[in-house]
Amino acid sequence: MTKVLLLIDIQNGFCPGGNLPVADGDIVVPIANSLMESGHYDLIVASQDWHPADHGSFASQHPGKAPFDMGELSGQPQVMWPDHCVQGTPDAAFHPELLTAKINYVQKKGQNPAVDSYSAFRDNDKAALTGLAAYLVSKDVKELDIMGLATDYCVKFSALDAVDMLPGVKARLIADGCRGIDPKGVEEAIEAMREAGVDIIESSGITL
């Protein structure tokens, strides 16, 4: 029975000093490291936002739009983000203190400039798959623990897609291993995940 830890976007861009920082985002790094070193997991997977410089979710690509304005992308409402996690830049790199040598598989996402990709599993229009679900199925995943950044965006969409795309897999959110952008949005995200069947746990409750 394969137990997998999925780390969502623990990158410089989402940590203090990055282009789209989540408050206290770096707090999740020692939790991730501790879990990776615990021996509890058979497989460690990490997602990585990996945008082209002209990504359509960037406010800079829309004249008259400022970061955090609402716009439209791929026919859907879209938050216009600051340029972040551009391929090959330090902003897109994993946090320097993250034990990347422990990671078995990295799933890059957000590479299509025409659509955003919050989930580690597929684009926001739900058309193109990243390949992560197929990879996890090939590894016979049975338990999937999810943590990272940000709770109310990429973590939430990844957890909901895990439930949707990996039937029979037990999905859990490690709540203290996440940080979010908007406090109200975090509450709503956790409730949405719980309603979808994701167990909400703390890292201290994970036992071998």
Side-chain angles (χ1 to χ4, degrees):
M1 184 171 77
T2 306
K3 298 177 181 178
V4 180
L5 177 64
L6 175 57
L7 307 174
I8 302 294
D9 300 358
I10 305 180
Q11 296 167 255
N12 289 329
F14 300 118
C15 290
N19 289 346
L20 185 49
V22 178
D24 298 325
D26 52 346
I27 295 291
V28 309
V29 175
I31 296 171
N33 289 342
S34 176
L35 290 172
M36 285 192 282
E37 292 187 303
S38 70
H40 180 75
Y41 297 100
D42 305 302
L43 199 63
I44 311 293
V45 176
S47 69
Q48 186 176 25
D49 241 13
W50 197 248
H51 294 309
D54 64 346
H55 197 270
S57 71
F58 295 166
S60 62
Q61 299 301 307
H62 301 269
K65 290 291 186 185
F68 306 106
D69 283 352
M70 287 302 298
E72 188 175 284
L73 190 65
S74 65
Q76 300 182 68
Q78 172 72 46
V79 178
M80 297 285 116
W81 301 113
D83 291 22
H84 66 279
C85 296
V86 172
Q87 298 172 6
T89 65
D91 200 62
F94 289 117
H95 190 283
E97 293 175 16
L98 189 68
L99 298 177
T100 53
K102 298 277 188 185
I103 296 170
N104 304 108
Y105 180 84
V106 175
Q107 180 63 65
K108 289 181 166 62
K109 64 188 182 71
Q111 298 176 81
N112 181 352
V115 60
D116 212 354
S117 219
Y118 295 149
S119 170
F121 291 93
R122 56 186 171 187
D123 289 344
N124 286 2
D125 62 5
K126 301 190 176 182
L129 305 181
T130 62
L132 179 58
Y135 172 78
L136 292 175
V137 168
S138 77
K139 298 298 183 181
D140 195 31
V141 60
K142 290 292 183 285
E143 294 184 6
L144 181 67
D145 287 354
I146 302 167
M147 60 164 288
L149 305 169
T151 316
D152 39 344
Y153 284 92
C154 297
V155 171
K156 178 183 80 170
F157 283 92
S158 296
L160 294 177
D161 277 352
V163 171
D164 191 37
M165 299 172 69
L166 298 169
V169 173
K170 183 178 181 59
R172 305 191 298 182
L173 176 79
I174 304 170
D176 60 316
C178 302
R179 290 295 183 276
I181 293 176
D182 172 62
K184 186 171 187 294
V186 169
E187 286 182 22
E188 292 172 350
I190 289 175
E191 187 55 35
M193 288 183 269
R194 183 182 285 113
E195 287 181 3
V198 178
D199 287 345
I200 312 300
I201 64 169
E202 300 289 319
S203 60
S204 59
I206 295 171
T207 55
L208 296 180

